Amino acid sequence: MSFRINTNVASLQAQEYLRQTSEAQGKTIGRVTSGLRIQSSGDDAAGLSIANTFRSDQAVLSQGIRNANDGLSSLQTIDGGINNISKLLDRARTLATQSASGAFSGSRTVLNSEFQSVITEIDRQAQAIGLNSGGTFAKSLSVFIGGGRTSGGISSTTNGSVGVNLSNSTVDSKSLGLQGVQAQGVTSTDIGTGSASTSVSAIVNDATNLGSVGTSGYTDFSFRGAGFSDNERVKVSVNLSGVTDTDTLVSAINSAIDNAGNAASSNATAFKNAGIKAAVVTSADGKKSLGFTSSNTAFQVEAGDRLANALVGNVTSSSNPTGLALANTVTGGSNTAAAATTFGAGGAGTVTVRIQGAGLSSPVDVALTVGAGTTIDAALSSLSSAVASNSNLQSAGISVTTATAGSALQFTSKSGERFEVQASGDIGNLLGLGGFRSSAGTSGTFDYSTVTGSGGAFTAAAETLEFSIGGGATVSAAITPAGATIGDATTALNAAFASNSTLAAAGLVATNDGTDITINSSNGSKFRINTVGNSNVFGFGSTTVTGVADAAEAQAGNTAINSFVSAGSQQTGILSFTGIRGGADDQTVTVVANDSSGAEHSIAVVLRNDTTSRNAGTVDEAIDAINTALKQSNDTTLQKVIAVKDKASASGAEGIRFASTLGSFRVAIGTNGSNTGIGSQGSVVTASTVGTGSTADITSQAGAERAVTALAEAVNTLGNAQAVVGRGQNQFNFAINLAQSQLTNLAASESRIRDADLAEEAASLTKAQILLQAGISALAQANSAPQQVLALLRG
């Protein structure tokens, strides 16, 4: 056995064990006093990380449960409001049913006064609970609760949210079908019994009015709206049998509307879904006028004959029930050839007469085959027959009204809409519509983007060529080649094209193959050529037929405004339009609409006249292109916007108006080089509410009967809205239950990781105390051991 003084190993060992025991005791005391097993990350880093995650999730769920309870409270408030609106509808139905009785002998005005106050209160309460159109809660509500997990490409945030879509659950009077848009005729004309001169009875018995109808005993109205616009517009033929006053007129119109809506076509179905109904509108001064209402669709109604025009208030005077004339005519620029004149060998081929406008969504070409011996009389007869047998032209109301040899041709649109009539292939201008050649002279296509001449004289003589770009106004160019070669002729043509802005914009370029000259449009513009005279210098005329200068057709007939866009809807002003003629003049029109939740939906429509598409030569073609794009967008918001043709006055130019029952929309109008297409280029036109719409009314028995029907639908609509609210309440309740369960289990999981087991810690503390006492005693003994060496030294 050895003894050391400098190093007391036993003491050092005792000190270390005592330190460990002291640290253990300190930790145990900390756990017992804090109740936490993990007091620092060093105690259990992995466990602390998991516990912190659980604690954070609990914080999210705690707030999420409060969010859900707030949402549930809001839905319960809305539910209570809907219950009250349901009682208001009960009262409105009671009043309407009372007024609808033929045996009622009291004052319907008194009943209607209370009825209107009920409608007003419905709107007030709908606004109070945030479920009016565009209201606080009229949108898709998403409440984040938490507890979600990322799975199947769906984020944890989405999985942890509960959504309730109330955007289609608005309960104001407009949403319930008790208030809508209304197209109303001329209000200054009284068609009621208060005015014998312009009453319904006087109008339907007026000889001139009756002579204007297409089918005896019927009068026509045309309707345009989303899904039934342009060439798909719906014509409603009203049976006039038994029509003697405003009530029988409205009944007859509504019966005809129902029949038209039941037809087996998509546009008829869209018309039926629009829910358009005729109604009598009484002004503050007691005058009655004809109106048309819809609760959900912006639309345009148009009178189709003088009788219908009179019914919408367009009468000759307050003492004359004759409806204003609707006819619009186009007269040939020059007289047709004298009777018995033949087309001759040089004029034999195919003459094409093109008609566009007047509601036609695309040009209609009428082809006449003429031989050398065909007389002008026979050609005129064939033209009249072809126009009369063309279904598209008949639908547009276009006919040949003057077709006499030696007189100018005259075409008439009985709807009063403007249109154009042009011809090609009649190089001798026997029809008086211009001597423009077809693609192959007297045969081929109406117009062309490339054409090759033949038999050119190529002399250094002057010749006048006339060009029409895309059916536009005639551009005349007197051209003289510098020399008598095909090259000189080609150079002269290109110089003429370059010096004329219209021809240059059309991209016209002349080339030759050594024999003939070809004129081509580099940007796809369509054009026609007319050669004046018979020298045929450039090869685009004839030496046997003398070409004459073109004379513009004459447009006549300032038809009174006979179409009306539904008031109470969002509308733009009338936007001017000029036909797009050149292939380089594309214009982009962008429609941006907001749905009920405020989200934007947009579509861009390109108006053009090139090889890609030719959809904007006339205002009708442009409107069709826009409405077709909106319809085919498959976007229910954009499909509620419609473009219609309108004008500001009888003599005003036809333009484009956009309309919708949406809360808001705007139209961005692009630019092009020639400033053609829709006007106001480079601007954004924002729609605004125009006029006031219709409200259910029970001042008459017929109106009360319609109100009863509308209220029955309103009850169903309200029930559907309340079902959505109820479903939302259940969703929130279920979500709260789940979140509460998750919160409880997360707290338990965190506790198992973070909290101390006090029974275990108490035992550990006792152990540490005993070890500490023993250690102190042992350390004392170890520290005294070196003193024993002194005993050896003393001995």
Side-chain angles (χ1 to χ4, degrees):
M1 179 176 180
S2 61
F3 292 92
R4 299 176 179 88
I5 295 174
N6 290 334
T7 302
N8 191 340
V9 176
S11 176
L12 293 175
Q13 290 176 337
Q15 289 178 48
E16 176 60 21
Y17 289 132
L18 186 61
R19 183 189 64 77
Q20 293 178 6
T21 299
S22 180
E23 286 183 359
Q25 184 186 41
K27 287 185 178 180
T28 302
I29 291 172
R31 289 170 181 164
V32 170
T33 56
S34 69
L36 298 175
R37 183 181 70 86
I38 305 174
Q39 295 177 307
S40 67
S41 59
D43 294 337
D44 183 356
L48 181 62
S49 175
I50 296 172
N52 285 342
T53 300
F54 287 161
R55 185 177 63 190
S56 180
D57 288 346
Q58 289 175 69
V60 171
L61 282 169
S62 296
Q63 182 58 51
I65 290 172
R66 289 193 290 272
N67 292 347
N69 279 317
D70 290 344
L72 181 60
S73 298
S74 296
L75 289 180
Q76 288 169 342
T77 302
I78 291 171
D79 194 24
I82 292 177
N83 282 332
N84 213 39
I85 290 175
S86 179
K87 294 175 183 178
L88 288 169
L89 286 180
D90 292 342
R91 180 56 183 164
R93 293 188 78 181
T94 299
L95 294 169
T97 302
Q98 185 178 6
S99 181
S101 171
F104 179 72
S105 57
S107 171
R108 287 190 170 90
T109 301
V110 173
L111 291 180
N112 188 60
S113 177
E114 182 181 354
F115 182 84
Q116 296 304 325
S117 68
V118 170
I119 300 298
T120 301
E121 182 61 15
I122 288 174
D123 284 335
R124 190 192 70 80
Q125 295 199 12
Q127 185 176 17
I129 63 175
L131 276 188
N132 56 311
S133 297
T136 305
F137 296 115
K139 57 186 177 182
S140 182
L141 303 175
S142 180
V143 176
F144 180 67
I145 298 175
R149 293 289 181 266
T150 300
S151 176
I154 301 175
S155 69
S156 59
T157 302
T158 302
N159 251 335
S161 301
V162 175
V164 180
N165 188 0
L166 299 178
S167 58
N168 296 317
S169 299
T170 49
V171 293
D172 55 357
S173 60
K174 184 175 182 179
S175 302
L176 295 176
L178 303 178
Q179 190 179 76
V181 296
Q182 176 175 275
Q184 186 178 353
V186 180
T187 57
S188 60
T189 301
D190 185 4
I191 64 171
T193 54
S195 174
S197 299
T198 57
S199 66
V200 170
S201 177
I203 290 171
V204 299
N205 288 293
D206 181 82
T208 303
N209 289 341
L210 292 172
S212 72
V213 301
T215 303
S216 179
Y218 289 80
T219 188
D220 295 335
F221 294 91
S222 291
F223 293 85
R224 295 176 174 89
F228 52 98
S229 58
D230 315 314
N231 60 324
E232 292 185 332
R233 62 188 178 276
V234 173
K235 184 174 80 170
V236 173
S237 295
V238 182
N239 188 342
L240 298 173
S241 177
V243 173
T244 57
D245 54 23
T246 53
D247 288 340
T248 53
L249 171 65
V250 166
S251 178
I253 294 175
N254 285 331
S255 178
I257 286 174
D258 291 341
N259 291 336
N262 290 327
S265 63
S266 60
N267 55 323
T269 300
F271 176 63
K272 182 176 182 179
N273 293 338
I276 297 172
K277 294 294 181 184
V280 175
V281 182
T282 304
S283 64
D285 58 1
K287 292 182 179 180
K288 293 185 176 182
S289 58
L290 181 61
F292 297 86
T293 66
S294 171
S295 62
N296 56 42
T297 301
F299 66 95
Q300 181 186 53
V301 60
E302 179 182 43
D305 49 54
R306 296 182 74 165
L307 198 156
N309 208 21
L311 290 174
V312 297
N314 280 324
V315 293
T316 302
S317 69
S318 59
S319 60
N320 187 342
T322 301
L324 296 177
L326 296 179
N328 189 78
T329 62
V330 171
T331 304
S334 57
N335 291 340
T336 60
T341 301
T342 61
F343 281 80
T350 301
V351 175
T352 302
V353 177
R354 170 167 289 184
I355 301 173
Q356 55 189 10
L360 295 169
S361 59
S362 60
V364 174
D365 290 341
V366 177
L368 305 176
T369 302
V370 296
T374 301
T375 64
I376 184 62
D377 310 80
L380 292 173
S381 177
S382 297
L383 176 61
S384 298
S385 298
V387 170
S389 62
N390 187 286
S391 59
N392 290 328
L393 294 178
Q394 290 308 296
S395 178
I398 295 175
S399 60
V400 180
T401 46
T402 300
T404 305
S407 300
L409 267 169
Q410 188 176 81
F411 299 78
T412 300
S413 164
K414 71 174 185 179
S415 66
E417 296 179 74
R418 297 184 180 182
F419 63 105
E420 301 171 358
V421 182
Q422 301 171 345
S424 72
D426 180 20
I427 61 174
N429 195 27
L430 272 65
L431 295 178
L433 299 175
F436 290 96
R437 59 171 283 153
S438 297
S439 58
T442 58
S443 62
T445 59
F446 176 83
D447 50 10
Y448 24 82
S449 55
T450 182
V451 62
T452 301
S454 62
F458 307 128
T459 61
E463 185 171 70
T464 298
L465 297 182
E466 293 182 333
F467 297 84
S468 173
I469 309 299
T474 299
V475 176
S476 181
I479 308 170
T480 305
T485 68
I486 191 172
D488 294 325
T490 303
T491 300
L493 282 171
N494 285 325
F497 298 156
S499 64
N500 184 281
S501 59
T502 301
L503 302 182
L508 296 190
V509 178
T511 59
N512 70 78
D513 60 3
T515 303
D516 297 307
I517 294 176
T518 297
I519 297 176
N520 174 67
S521 169
S522 60
N523 56 33
S525 296
K526 290 278 191 176
F527 60 94
R528 292 175 297 152
I529 300 176
N530 175 38
T531 300
V532 179
N534 59 5
S535 56
N536 198 27
V537 172
F538 300 98
F540 296 101
S542 170
T543 57
T544 59
V545 177
T546 301
V548 298
D550 181 51
E553 291 72 36
Q555 187 100 210
N558 293 327
T559 300
I561 296 175
N562 64 313
S563 62
F564 305 90
V565 180
S566 51
S569 60
Q570 291 278 316
Q571 300 177 26
T572 66
I574 300 174
L575 304 174
S576 62
F577 183 85
T578 305
I580 293 178
R581 307 297 186 179
D585 294 331
D586 295 0
Q587 181 186 39
T588 300
V589 179
T590 304
V591 179
V592 182
N594 297 86
D595 61 22
S596 55
S597 67
E600 287 191 350
H601 303 248
S602 65
I603 187 172
V605 184
V606 180
L607 302 180
R608 63 206 319 162
N609 197 340
D610 55 25
T611 53
T612 300
S613 177
R614 303 192 187 278
N615 61 13
T618 66
V619 64
D620 301 276
E621 293 173 17
I623 289 173
D624 180 70
I626 294 169
N627 286 331
T628 298
L630 292 168
K631 180 180 178 180
Q632 294 178 352
S633 68
N634 293 323
D635 185 310
T636 54
T637 298
L638 292 173
Q639 287 173 340
K640 292 181 180 179
V641 181
I642 181 178
V644 296
K645 184 166 61 176
D646 205 354
K647 60 182 181 179
S649 64
S651 59
E654 294 174 335
I656 298 176
R657 185 192 294 275
F658 292 83
S660 177
T661 52
L662 292 170
S664 65
F665 74 94
R666 61 186 185 274
V667 182
I669 304 169
T671 61
N672 63 18
S674 63
N675 200 32
T676 55
I678 299 179
S680 301
Q681 294 192 359
S683 66
V684 177
V685 181
T686 301
S688 59
T689 302
V690 176
T692 55
S694 62
T695 303
D697 182 277
I698 59 172
T699 52
S700 66
Q701 182 179 350
E705 290 172 349
R706 289 192 297 274
V708 169
T709 301
L711 285 163
E713 290 295 325
V715 170
N716 290 333
T717 302
L718 185 70
N720 292 336
Q722 193 162 20
V724 174
V725 173
R727 185 169 67 245
Q729 291 181 68
N730 290 336
Q731 282 182 272
F732 281 131
N733 277 321
F734 292 137
I736 290 170
N737 291 339
L738 175 61
Q740 193 64 59
S741 174
Q742 289 176 305
L743 182 62
T744 300
N745 289 307
L746 282 170
S749 298
E750 184 196 6
S751 176
R752 282 190 285 269
I753 297 172
R754 192 189 296 274
D755 293 348
D757 184 341
L758 292 181
E760 179 183 347
E761 298 302 332
S764 297
L765 181 59
T766 301
K767 175 183 174 182
Q769 288 172 340
I770 294 170
L771 288 173
L772 184 62
Q773 292 174 6
I776 292 172
S777 177
L779 179 60
Q781 292 294 324
N783 287 337
S784 64
Q787 295 178 5
Q788 302 302 319
V789 177
L790 294 176
L792 295 174
L793 295 175
R794 285 196 299 268

